[in-house]
Amino acid sequence: SQQGEEDPQALSIQEGENATMNCSYKTSINNLQWYRQNSGRGLVHLILIRSNEREKHSGRLRVTLDTSKKSSSLLITASRAADTASYFCAAETSGSRLTFGEGTQLTVNP
Amino acid sequence: GAVVSQHPSWVICKSGTSVKIECRSLDFQATTMFWYRQFPKQSLMLMATSNEGSKATYEQGVEKDKFLINHASLTLSTLTVTSAHPEDSSFYICSAPQGAPQETQYFGPGTRLLVL
């Protein structure tokens, strides 16, 4: 299958809590990217972590990458209702091709 | 940031007709663009890589005669769904990378296709 795996498939939390999503991929990568998609809309790029990096922060986002395990995690701290969306990881391989994970549907309850 | 547009945003057509979807990079040039398909509640699946000045590269299982791709200029790629059938109903999204050395990809807003 072209797709990587993400877990959980769905996550429901209360506003203010942290949300953690995990992603696994299958091949060697140039970088690992995380995207957000609101229902029926296009994708918004959140953060990119290169294959030689282990951790990266951007605002309330923290991404880790473990190339030995071919896995990555996205942590959203102090979540807000507006963070409700689907989150996808995407592994970039040669030629800028992206292979997307199955996605996590995050619901943040006010 | 960079902007990628798609047109139309949604289209309804009868089975057997062909539908053309445009993807434009509005403020940068893109020698490569990517086309994805997304079924409801599923992830994005890469269909093909559109290359300016050369033939598109299709992913395994994607019919090149069914999904015609033309990268007419450095800012425009088109995807034509030929002889569309209900199973082709989906959300089609394009992306274009910009920047170096590791490029950020900018995604269009998507085109929702419904084939009756």
Side-chain angles (χ1 to χ4, degrees), chain A residues 2-3 30-31 33 35 37 40-43 45 48-51 88 92 95-98 100-103, chain B residues 32 34 36 38 41-46 49 59 91 93 95 97 101-105 107-110 112:
Chain A
Q2 182 187 89
Q3 298 295 313
N30 295 332
N31 59 65
Q33 304 177 29
Y35 290 84
Q37 183 182 38
R41 307 286 292 275
L43 273 72
H45 181 266
L48 178 154
I49 185 166
R50 296 181 173 83
S51 59
F88 295 93
E92 183 185 294
S96 299
R97 292 169 68 253
L98 292 180
F100 281 82
E102 295 173 354
Chain B
T32 300
F34 300 93
Y36 297 84
Q38 183 181 32
K41 298 190 183 303
Q42 294 188 23
S43 187
L44 281 75
M45 186 75 71
L46 178 64
T49 303
E59 296 299 307
F91 193 50
I93 307 175
S95 74
Q102 297 204 16
E103 302 165 317
T104 296
Q105 292 211 29
F107 283 77
R112 192 163 299 282

Side-chain angles (χ1 to χ4, degrees), chain A residues 4-74:
Chain A
E5 296 179 359
E6 264 180 83
D7 73 271
Q9 289 188 340
L11 179 62
S12 181
I13 59 175
Q14 294 300 121
E15 213 165 21
E17 295 180 339
N18 297 340
T20 299
M21 290 160 264
N22 302 297
C23 163
S24 62
Y25 57 92
K26 299 179 179 179
T27 64
S28 297
I29 62 172
N30 295 332
N31 59 65
L32 194 290
Q33 304 177 29
W34 285 88
Y35 290 84
R36 165 197 169 119
Q37 183 182 38
N38 285 68
S39 180
R41 307 286 292 275
L43 273 72
V44 175
H45 181 266
L46 295 177
I47 193 166
L48 178 154
I49 185 166
R50 296 181 173 83
S51 59
N52 62 352
E53 296 177 315
R54 292 297 168 259
E55 186 171 315
K56 197 164 184 178
H57 297 253
S58 177
R60 294 186 295 114
L61 305 180
R62 173 177 170 259
V63 171
T64 63
L65 179 65
D66 187 334
T67 53
S68 66
K69 295 181 180 179
K70 290 186 167 59
S71 67
S72 174
S73 68
L74 171 68

